[in-house]
Amino acid sequence: MQCPHATSVRLSVPSYNAQIYKDECTFCYDSPDNEGGLDVCLSCFNGGCTDPDRYHAIQHYNKTNHPLALNIKRVRKPKEIKDGEPPQKITKIAIVPENDADIYEYFTNVKCYECGGVTIDSSVGAIPKVVDAIMTSLSASRQSEIKAWEEEIVSCEHIRNLVQDPAKIVAAENAHCANCDLNENLWLCLVCGNLGCGRQQYGGTGGNGHGLAHFESTGHGVACKLGTITPEGTADIYCYHCNEERSDDQLGVHLARFGIKVESQQKTIKTLTELSLEQNQNFNFNMYTEDGKAFDPLFGPGYTGFKNLGNSCYMASVLQSLFDLPAFQSRYFPVDIAHLQSCTKEPGNCLQCQMAKVADGLMSGRYATPSFSDSGDVQGQDGVAPGMFKALVGRGHPEFSTMRQQDSFEFFQHLIKIIEQNERVTGEDPTKIFEFKSEQRLQCNECKKVRYTQDTTTALSIAVPATKKASTSEGDEYESVTFEQCLDTYVEPDVLPYNCPSCQKSTTVTKTNRFATFPNVLVINMRRFEYQNWVPRKLAVPIVFPEGQIDLEKYRGHGQQAGEELLPEDAPEAAAAAAGPTFNQEALEQLQMMGFPEVRAQKALLATHNQGAEIAMEWLIQHMEDPDIDDPIVTSSSSAPAAGASPEQIAQLADMGFTEKQARKALKETSGNVERAVEWLFSHMDEPIEDDDGGDSAEAAAAASSGAQAPHLDASKKGHYQLASFISHKGPSVHCGHYVSHVRKEGKWVLFNDNKVVDDPKAPIGDAYMYIFKRE
């Protein structure tokens, strides 16, 4: 059909890096594989489904008045298996773009919505060039995937300037570690020729870390992994100075010093890259009963799985648990059509659009249908691929923007923070269900006076008590602990150094934590990791979990008691502040013995409220790259009074949804640092904001005098819970392994293992890394 819009509509050929959404609809998970195919807008390259009940492509047209669209349908070709070809040599962790034409057969046509959605002549005007560019370019999801995976292995100055000891012969046959009997996972020091075993977490292979110990004792920082050397002169090279995997352009020369000729070598074991990719993409939980029968697969609404994008299981497990909660279901499902029509952002850049897309994918049941093998047997479901969502929530984050394995609890915290920020202007924030107030009680151990403070938080992180059993041939085993014993560590008294404002001297204080209020949904992270040789190592401590209702009332705080005298707040407090911050001296010494500079150790202890060396070290590892990590500590007494907040700073915070009064208060409390001001505001959401003259506003004063409190922070609500879901981790380290989620549905436990969704009759509750409880 001849269409006037084919030549009248101005079209531009997309650039190489243009975001072209041709893999799936931006509002749902329909793709070119669906019956009606996918419509890609020729003006802005948005992808819209053609399902008659949704037709997001038409909704896009109604909103933008972009009439022309390319309809794409595809059918997978039979896969050709080529024998005898050697695998491609891996020099970087990367996704090599596949030629989709070799995988799919494509069918395309151009339609005009202005003319009623009819097919038009695609050979006129700029249409042929635009269509050709769309079909040959990388899709938006593919671009994001490749960018996230790309982690090129390069050389470094320590390798380029390597100085080797005099030549000696290293016998490869019957070789073993110089410090133990291990004969696998061996690393050759390229300085002196020492053989040391690697660290255990890499690939799950054995290792006692003697290669690292050799570096720490000698300073020899470059090593080569035996068994990975190829005739082409490549191998696993590790630089302990950089703490990174590296490449060595002069490997043949360096190995020849120890009698090793690369041209005669054959690769006999997998490289770190291959182990990382294989382990994190193929890790599998036990999916069979004791008699060898496979778990029953489940399908339908609420039983949709996620495709593994490559190390995305940490995200998938969190999303499955979140969308089991009514607050998240009702907020994002069914899709808010009014928002789709009024949203001014591109759908791929709008958090509400993408949260709704995930909700629709999980709750609608459209994508939880059986897939069949060539023999006709049911082999599970395809699930949905949350690539667009992952790219959005990870954007700008140094870890979540990559394809590396991450910690599920850290992702949970990151996600609810950005949801909270996004929902501030809507008043429909589902993350409020996690908020509660914790009560901290300090008592000076000399004058016995006390102080009570309350902080709003969204989760508990509790260290699991670990007591080793007698050594066995199977490695470290730990005594089981009860869930109650784990909670007891949260309220356990802790003695800390303290500058008492009443005693006017340095003394000690006993600190205890309790619940001031209980949340509607309680999230508890069980810290099952400890650091060994700077590497987080998992502690496999079994937790004995109670059946039925969980009663946490005994952990409730009750504030100031009769006969207790409060510590002063005013002048003495200022005097104590003027003396400078105090540090847990024992923890400070431990951190310095680990090699941390004093100023970094002090900052970590301040940031973690002197809670000990372990927690401070976790903070340090997360903030190693902070630009001000080595700057002197500035206290309120050593700095000039904060100048008034600038209009630009106030405008920045106002754009995030904060009021001018909130912005001024936060900037005052954080010495004009906008990033810290945002964090301060999120942690003081339910506190009245004082006026600049120090007096409460009329509204705040009224609220304070009436004892008004946010409904979700009501202290009268009981701490009675039922376990709703839990997230488990299998593997030796947070940097490898696999996460799954178990969700209780209709009285049974459902295992969500990526896109495998099954009924699990023996859910491993005692092995969980995160517990999610619903209030009864």
Side-chain angles (χ1 to χ4, degrees):
M1 171 183 172
Q2 293 294 327
C3 168
H5 307 100
T7 53
S8 64
V9 174
R10 185 175 179 180
L11 301 178
S12 299
V13 176
S15 62
Y16 172 76
N17 59 352
Q19 297 290 293
I20 301 175
Y21 297 97
K22 64 177 183 177
D23 284 344
E24 67 184 21
C25 176
T26 55
F27 295 113
C28 69
Y29 290 99
D30 282 12
S31 72
D33 302 327
N34 287 79
E35 183 177 353
L38 187 77
D39 282 356
V40 178
C41 175
L42 294 187
S43 297
C44 67
F45 316 117
N46 178 77
C49 70
T50 57
D51 181 84
D53 295 328
R54 299 172 174 229
Y55 233 126
H56 290 134
I58 288 183
Q59 291 186 29
H60 175 73
Y61 160 68
N62 291 335
K63 178 181 175 181
T64 63
N65 290 319
H66 295 166
L68 302 180
L70 172 67
N71 180 259
I72 305 175
K73 298 178 185 177
R74 68 185 183 189
V75 177
R76 183 177 286 273
K77 296 179 180 179
K79 190 171 183 180
E80 295 183 14
I81 301 177
K82 300 179 181 179
D83 297 326
E85 291 188 5
Q88 182 178 356
K89 181 174 66 177
I90 298 177
T91 58
K92 66 172 92 172
I93 298 177
I95 287 178
V96 179
E98 294 179 285
N99 185 356
D100 283 349
D102 294 337
I103 305 173
Y104 298 100
E105 184 176 2
Y106 282 86
F107 305 89
T108 63
N109 64 79
V110 176
K111 61 174 67 171
C112 177
Y113 281 112
E114 188 77 15
C115 296
V118 297
T119 300
I120 65 171
D121 184 357
S122 60
S123 64
V124 299
I127 291 178
K129 291 183 178 180
V130 176
V131 169
D132 183 62
I134 289 174
M135 295 304 296
T136 58
S137 65
L138 292 175
S139 67
S141 62
R142 194 67 171 167
Q143 286 185 37
S144 176
E145 188 179 3
I146 292 171
K147 183 178 178 181
W149 263 115
E150 195 81 11
E151 185 181 328
E152 189 162 0
I153 302 171
V154 297
S155 187
C156 68
E157 60 177 333
H158 307 104
I159 295 174
R160 290 189 291 268
N161 302 321
L162 184 67
V163 178
Q164 294 182 282
D165 286 355
K168 72 174 186 179
I169 302 299
V170 175
E173 293 184 4
N174 301 318
H176 63 82
C177 174
N179 299 96
C180 67
D181 294 329
L182 283 179
N183 58 6
E184 63 176 357
N185 192 15
L186 295 180
W187 291 79
L188 172 71
C189 174
L190 292 183
V191 176
C192 68
N194 177 78
L195 284 178
C197 58
R199 291 173 280 188
Q200 188 174 10
Q201 77 275 9
Y202 283 114
T205 55
N208 297 313
H210 288 135
L212 174 63
H214 175 72
F215 159 66
E216 292 173 338
S217 63
T218 65
H220 299 172
V222 181
C224 172
K225 188 176 184 181
L226 298 185
T228 66
I229 305 169
T230 69
E232 293 79 20
T234 65
D236 272 355
I237 306 295
Y238 200 85
C239 177
Y240 289 107
H241 296 291
C242 302
N243 199 23
E244 293 284 354
E245 189 178 355
R246 296 300 190 192
S247 65
D248 182 1
D249 296 335
Q250 299 296 315
L251 182 62
V253 175
H254 293 153
L255 288 175
R257 181 67 65 105
F258 307 110
I260 300 175
K261 298 179 180 180
V262 296
E263 58 269 18
S264 64
Q265 298 296 304
Q266 290 295 325
K267 178 174 170 291
T268 58
I269 62 175
K270 293 178 180 178
T271 65
L272 295 180
T273 296
E274 293 166 332
L275 285 170
S276 176
L277 292 177
E278 177 183 329
Q279 186 176 26
N280 289 303
Q281 289 188 335
N282 299 327
F283 221 119
N284 203 352
F285 268 54
N286 183 11
M287 304 279 285
Y288 297 90
T289 61
E290 292 180 355
D291 59 2
K293 181 183 177 182
F295 289 166
D296 294 330
L298 300 172
F299 307 98
Y303 295 98
T304 307
F306 285 110
K307 293 178 182 177
N308 194 324
L309 306 175
N311 291 340
S312 62
C313 55
Y314 69 91
M315 177 184 71
S317 60
V318 169
L319 289 174
Q320 293 289 5
S321 290
L322 286 183
F323 279 99
D324 170 60
L325 304 172
F328 279 79
Q329 293 176 3
S330 61
R331 174 68 185 102
Y332 299 112
F333 183 79
V335 174
D336 184 355
I337 301 299
H339 172 76
L340 297 188
Q341 294 173 342
S342 63
C343 182
T344 58
K345 300 179 182 178
E346 288 188 8
N349 295 327
C350 174
L351 183 63
Q352 185 170 336
C353 288
Q354 291 308 305
M355 288 293 289
K357 178 176 176 176
V358 171
D360 178 73
L362 296 182
M363 305 303 300
S364 67
R366 286 168 51 84
Y367 311 101
T369 56
S371 60
F372 299 91
S373 65
D374 294 338
S375 62
D377 296 330
V378 175
Q379 58 182 17
Q381 58 176 274
D382 291 333
V384 296
M388 204 175 295
F389 173 83
K390 184 180 185 300
L392 177 61
V393 299
R395 187 172 299 160
H397 192 281
E399 292 298 330
F400 299 129
S401 61
T402 72
M403 297 298 279
R404 293 190 292 269
Q405 181 65 287
Q406 305 298 334
D407 183 282
S408 62
F409 180 63
E410 291 178 4
F411 178 75
F412 165 78
Q413 292 177 305
H414 169 73
L415 180 58
I416 64 171
K417 182 176 180 179
I418 62 174
I419 292 175
E420 180 185 34
Q421 183 173 340
N422 186 74
E423 296 285 9
R424 288 182 56 82
V425 295
T426 68
E428 300 180 62
D429 181 8
T431 70
K432 292 296 183 185
I433 60 175
F434 303 116
E435 288 188 358
F436 64 96
K437 284 187 175 291
S438 62
E439 176 189 281
Q440 183 184 88
R441 179 182 184 271
L442 299 179
Q443 182 172 37
C444 174
N445 291 326
E446 289 219 11
C447 67
K448 303 303 180 183
K449 295 180 181 179
V450 298
R451 172 174 297 148
Y452 289 89
T453 56
Q454 291 188 356
D455 292 309
T456 301
T457 187
T458 53
L460 283 186
S461 184
I462 298 175
V464 178
T467 303
K468 284 186 180 180
K469 291 183 177 180
S471 297
T472 66
S473 59
E474 300 298 323
D476 291 340
E477 291 188 11
Y478 295 86
E479 300 286 353
S480 61
V481 298
T482 66
F483 181 68
E484 185 177 18
Q485 286 176 307
C486 297
L487 285 173
D488 288 344
T489 64
Y490 171 62
V491 299
E492 195 173 65
D494 193 12
V495 178
L496 303 170
Y498 186 61
N499 283 336
C500 179
S502 179
C503 300
Q504 292 287 289
K505 65 177 183 180
S506 295
T507 178
T508 60
V509 66
T510 298
K511 184 191 77 171
T512 54
N513 293 305
R514 288 187 174 271
F515 289 94
T517 66
F518 289 101
N520 291 328
V521 175
L522 176 62
V523 175
I524 299 181
N525 164 231
M526 313 305 287
R527 295 206 304 273
R528 292 177 175 270
F529 296 94
E530 67 177 6
Y531 283 87
Q532 292 184 356
N533 294 329
W534 302 84
V535 176
R537 178 175 171 274
K538 187 175 177 181
L539 303 176
V541 181
I543 297 176
V544 180
F545 203 86
E547 295 183 3
Q549 184 188 81
I550 307 292
D551 187 351
L552 303 183
E553 281 297 320
K554 77 172 190 174
Y555 302 107
R556 182 191 290 273
H558 299 283
Q560 184 181 1
Q561 300 298 296
E564 289 184 334
E565 185 177 353
L566 295 178
L567 286 163
E569 296 276 0
D570 301 321
E573 180 76 2
T582 59
F583 305 100
N584 181 332
Q585 200 61 35
E586 181 182 355
L588 181 62
E589 292 174 359
Q590 289 178 5
L591 292 170
Q592 289 181 281
M593 288 175 64
M594 295 176 192
F596 292 108
E598 182 179 20
V599 66
R600 294 191 182 190
Q602 290 176 336
K603 284 187 176 182
L605 289 169
L606 281 179
T608 57
H609 308 292
N610 279 312
Q611 295 185 62
E614 181 183 354
I615 295 176
M617 184 167 62
E618 292 179 8
W619 184 93
L620 274 167
I621 290 174
Q622 295 173 11
H623 293 79
M624 293 287 280
E625 304 301 324
D626 288 3
D628 61 347
I629 189 67
D630 293 311
D631 291 351
I633 296 173
V634 178
T635 63
S636 57
S637 60
S638 61
S639 61
S646 70
E648 293 78 10
Q649 291 173 319
I650 294 174
Q652 277 185 270
L653 294 175
D655 288 342
M656 300 178 191
F658 299 108
T659 67
E660 181 178 347
K661 184 182 293 183
Q662 288 175 319
R664 289 187 182 279
K665 174 67 174 176
L667 291 166
K668 180 180 178 182
E669 293 291 334
T670 58
S671 302
N673 185 305
V674 175
E675 290 185 4
R676 289 175 53 210
V678 173
E679 294 182 2
W680 186 92
L681 282 163
F682 279 130
S683 62
H684 294 77
M685 292 295 296
D686 297 291
E687 297 181 11
I689 301 297
E690 296 180 352
D691 290 329
D692 291 338
D693 61 3
D696 288 347
S697 66
E699 295 84 359
S705 63
S706 64
Q709 183 61 277
H712 65 284
L713 296 175
D714 185 354
S716 67
K717 294 182 178 179
K718 298 295 185 182
H720 298 159
Y721 293 95
Q722 282 282 358
L723 183 62
S725 66
F726 62 92
I727 295 171
S728 306
H729 174 273
K730 188 171 185 177
S733 164
V734 292
H735 300 306
C736 65
H738 190 63
Y739 288 98
V740 300
S741 177
H742 282 80
V743 179
R744 192 167 185 82
K745 291 177 177 285
E746 300 176 351
K748 61 185 179 182
W749 286 107
V750 176
L751 167 60
F752 291 89
N753 180 6
D754 290 330
N755 62 336
K756 296 175 279 292
V757 182
V758 298
D759 180 4
D760 188 350
K762 292 191 175 181
I765 300 175
D767 297 333
Y769 180 58
M770 283 177 63
Y771 292 110
I772 296 91
F773 298 91
K774 292 180 184 177
R775 188 206 300 278
E776 283 206 322

